[in-house]
Amino acid sequence: MRGPGRWAVLFALVVLAVVMVFPFAIVAMNAVKSPAEYSTQGPLSLPDGLYLQGIIDFWNRVDFGTKLWNSFVISASVSVLAVVLSVLNAYALGIGRVKGRLSILVLFLVANTLPQEALAYPLYYLSKAAGLYDTQLAVIIVMTVIQAAFGTYLLSAVLGQFPKEILEAAAIDGAGRLRSLLRIVVPISRPTLNVLLIFFFIWTWNEFFLPLIFLISNDTQTVPVALAVLQGEKFMDATMSSASALLGVVPAIAFFLIFQRTLTRGVTVGAIK
């Protein structure tokens, strides 16, 4: 049993690596090919050299630097605000034990299951009425609420198991609720909060549907929207399409690799020791 189980795990890891790495390798190879090389040798051949003109042309055509900055501002703002809002909500629900806690948690759970298409129509008119349409602030507010709904549901379960003895000792020492939150709950829960921060950033970075609805001008669009709009309205060859896909996925991969240790530590250690 031990031998076959080990080989099964190894086989699963190999399959996962192939499924994830192979498409990225194909995109990366075609991104540095010339159109003539792609048409003669096909998509699976190795490039003869580094042809970077497709990447340069795509960068200039869509003003990709602006799109990167827009995506970073929105993703960073949403991830930080959603974590803060999740902590405050979960502190009240998980530790404060407010009246109607179970009903509130069920409401957050139902909110997580709602499709974004059902929210598009009312959110569109609300943003128009508030004068926030085609602004990054509209996307930040909407995505913060959506991400915080999931974060609140998760953290409420985590903080519900928080040792009450620690909070009672802090209360005896004169610590109020806010001080207990900032000095005790947040430091102990930091691994879980770091995991949420990373996931919120990546999820918001890859978000396409809501930014497509709210951001219509070229100066406010994010990376996924810019890629889709460009491919829809203009002809693009295969090498430039690969270049756009490569430029779109590299920042998210880089962010994940930079914070890989933090993510692993948060998953393995947990919030409460």
Side-chain angles (χ1 to χ4, degrees):
M1 292 295 294
R2 195 172 182 182
R6 183 180 303 177
W7 283 108
V9 172
L10 181 60
F11 177 77
L13 291 176
V14 171
V15 171
L16 182 62
V18 171
V19 171
M20 297 182 63
V21 174
F22 182 73
F24 179 77
I26 296 298
V27 169
M29 287 193 305
N30 292 322
V32 295
K33 288 180 182 177
S34 64
E37 184 181 353
Y38 179 88
S39 61
T40 56
Q41 300 183 10
L44 299 180
S45 63
L46 294 175
D48 296 333
L50 292 179
Y51 179 82
L52 301 179
Q53 191 60 41
I55 297 177
I56 297 174
D57 291 341
F58 171 76
W59 185 289
N60 295 330
R61 179 178 296 184
V62 301
D63 192 14
F64 196 72
T66 301
K67 305 302 184 297
L68 281 175
W69 176 250
N70 293 339
S71 291
F72 176 79
V73 170
I74 293 176
S75 300
S77 301
V78 168
S79 59
V80 172
L81 292 175
V83 168
V84 172
L85 188 59
S86 299
V87 170
L88 295 176
N89 292 337
Y91 183 64
L93 295 173
I95 295 180
R97 299 287 179 175
V98 298
K99 190 175 181 180
R101 170 180 176 272
L102 182 59
S103 300
I104 297 175
L105 288 178
V106 171
L107 181 62
F108 278 111
L109 180 61
V110 172
N112 283 316
T113 62
L114 287 176
Q116 293 184 352
E117 291 78 5
L119 303 175
Y121 186 81
L123 290 177
Y124 169 79
Y125 280 98
L126 284 175
S127 64
K128 294 279 284 188
L132 297 176
Y133 187 67
D134 196 23
T135 64
Q136 297 178 8
L137 182 59
V139 178
I140 291 174
I141 294 175
V142 173
M143 291 302 302
T144 296
V145 174
I146 292 176
Q147 306 288 27
F150 171 79
T152 299
Y153 181 77
L154 176 65
L155 288 178
S156 295
V158 173
L159 297 185
Q161 306 299 322
F162 199 93
K164 295 186 179 299
E165 296 78 7
I166 300 178
L167 297 176
E168 292 173 356
I172 294 176
D173 290 338
R177 293 183 178 180
L178 181 59
R179 187 175 180 184
S180 297
L181 172 64
L182 298 179
R183 296 293 182 89
I184 299 175
V185 177
V186 171
I188 294 179
S189 306
R190 186 169 299 167
T192 301
L193 300 182
N194 290 336
V195 171
L196 280 180
L197 185 71
I198 294 172
F199 278 128
F200 286 166
F201 185 94
I202 296 177
W203 290 343
T204 307
W205 181 281
N206 293 328
E207 179 62 36
F208 170 74
F209 182 70
L210 291 179
L212 177 66
I213 295 175
F214 287 102
L215 305 177
I216 59 174
S217 64
N218 188 56
D219 294 335
T220 59
Q221 289 176 349
T222 58
V223 170
V225 176
L227 300 182
V229 170
L230 180 65
Q231 293 179 3
E233 72 177 9
K234 298 180 181 179
F235 173 78
M236 292 182 64
D237 56 50
T239 56
M240 187 172 292
S241 297
S242 298
S244 65
L246 181 64
L247 290 176
V249 74
V250 162
I253 294 177
F255 181 85
F256 178 80
L257 292 177
I258 292 173
F259 293 97
Q260 181 183 9
R261 276 180 133 184
T262 302
L263 181 61
T264 305
R265 190 182 307 117
V267 172
T268 55
V269 174
I272 307 298
K273 295 183 180 179

